[in-house]
Amino acid sequence: MFRQLAKQSISNVSKCQTRFASTSITPAAISNLQGRWEKLPESDKQNLIEALSEKQKLPWTTLSLEEKKAAWYISFGTWGPRRPMETPEDSAKIYKGIAIGFFFSAALFIAYYSQRTIPRTMNKEWQEQSDEYLASKNSNPFSTYSQVQSK
């Protein structure tokens, strides 16, 4: 029974290979596909997509390296809807704008906080007087009560 199943599967594989062998792809059709894909006519694109999809139904060991690269590019390459929206020049402008905005906001932050005055309740004398007042009111919740902030 096992031999019969093995013979059937071998015959099915050979039939499948002969059926898909008719869809041969020339190396010239898939060489430098990344550079030529946008310029190819739609009919050639569809023929190439169909031929590669038929070849991919075979075991992947039968595909050449160029065919694998072409199949990957057609499936996941940067063409059509996956084409980047901005060019490298646009990206450089975007990064420069982000850097300028960051440095401008940092300069504003430093300028604002350098002009800021310390509130009068934060000086050491005020805090010491607060400690004396709390001690006079017996406001010692656990062990000591200190308002003096460390520098």
Side-chain angles (χ1 to χ4, degrees), residues 98-112:
I98 290 171
I100 289 169
F102 175 75
F103 288 120
F104 181 71
S105 63
L108 283 176
F109 178 81
I110 291 169
Y112 176 74

Side-chain angles (χ1 to χ4, degrees), residues 56-75:
Q56 290 177 35
K57 292 177 184 176
L58 296 172
W60 275 64
T61 54
T62 61
L63 269 69
S64 69
L65 182 62
E66 288 295 321
E67 289 171 338
K68 290 177 186 176
K69 286 180 182 179
W72 184 89
Y73 181 75
I74 289 171
S75 298

Side-chain angles (χ1 to χ4, degrees), residues 82-95:
R82 290 181 297 275
R83 183 182 310 135
M85 293 177 65
E86 65 273 343
T87 63
E89 295 85 22
D90 293 338
S91 298
K93 288 180 185 177
I94 291 169
Y95 291 130

